[in-house]
Amino acid sequence: RLIEFLVSDLVEATKQQLVDGQVQSVTDVQHFGRRLVVPSPAILAKKAELEKFLYERVYRHPTVLAERALAEQAIQELFARYSALPDKLPPKFQTRLAEDGVSRAVCDYLANMTDRFALADASR
């Protein structure tokens, strides 16, 4: 329901922008001068309110920050380990070592890990 509500608002607000801006062609779109596809001001205000709440109560919550610190440490340790021992990378990433370099191959391997797998791998 929320997605339907947000998409409907986006469509209606964009239609209004097209009318208000007298947009009739692709050239009009290209020269519009600001974003054409945007939510309504009411939804933008609600979004700002939600983001403020999330930053204050979720993203910066001490428990979340502690978990983040553990995750950062695990990623740093994994990067150091695989950089020192690139032969431990899966074959798919080992084939990229010569062309992309160790750091890039290791970064891409780590980026493909799920959180759970990365933490388990770091604890091994």
Side-chain angles (χ1 to χ4, degrees), residues 8-9 17-18 21 27 31-32 34 46-49 61 63 65 82 86 90 96 99 102 107 114 120 122:
S8 295
D9 176 81
Q17 288 245 93
L18 291 168
T27 302
H31 295 96
F32 192 65
R34 63 183 187 279
K46 294 272 187 205
K47 180 179 178 263
E49 184 180 333
H61 189 278
T63 303
L65 294 176
Y82 285 112
R96 298 180 49 204
E99 184 176 330
V102 173
C107 282
T114 63

Side-chain angles (χ1 to χ4, degrees), residues 58-75:
V58 179
Y59 303 146
R60 293 190 178 120
H61 189 278
T63 303
V64 172
L65 294 176
E67 289 291 323
R68 181 180 178 171
L70 290 174
E72 287 175 1
Q73 181 181 353
I75 294 296

Side-chain angles (χ1 to χ4, degrees), residues 14 20 25 43 55 122:
T14 301
D20 293 348
S25 67
I43 292 298
Y55 274 99

Side-chain angles (χ1 to χ4, degrees), residues 84-109:
L85 302 166
D87 59 309
K88 299 296 183 188
L89 289 168
K92 173 183 174 182
F93 293 92
Q94 285 186 23
T95 60
R96 298 180 49 204
L97 291 171
E99 184 176 330
D100 297 336
V102 173
S103 292
R104 177 81 273 147
V106 171
C107 282
D108 289 349
Y109 177 54

Side-chain angles (χ1 to χ4, degrees), residues 77-90 102 106 109-110 113 117 121 124:
E77 290 172 5
L78 288 170
F79 182 81
R81 181 189 324 149
Y82 285 112
S83 293
L85 302 166
D87 59 309
K88 299 296 183 188
L89 289 168
V102 173
V106 171
Y109 177 54
L110 296 179
M113 290 181 170
F117 182 82
D121 194 19
R124 285 193 293 271

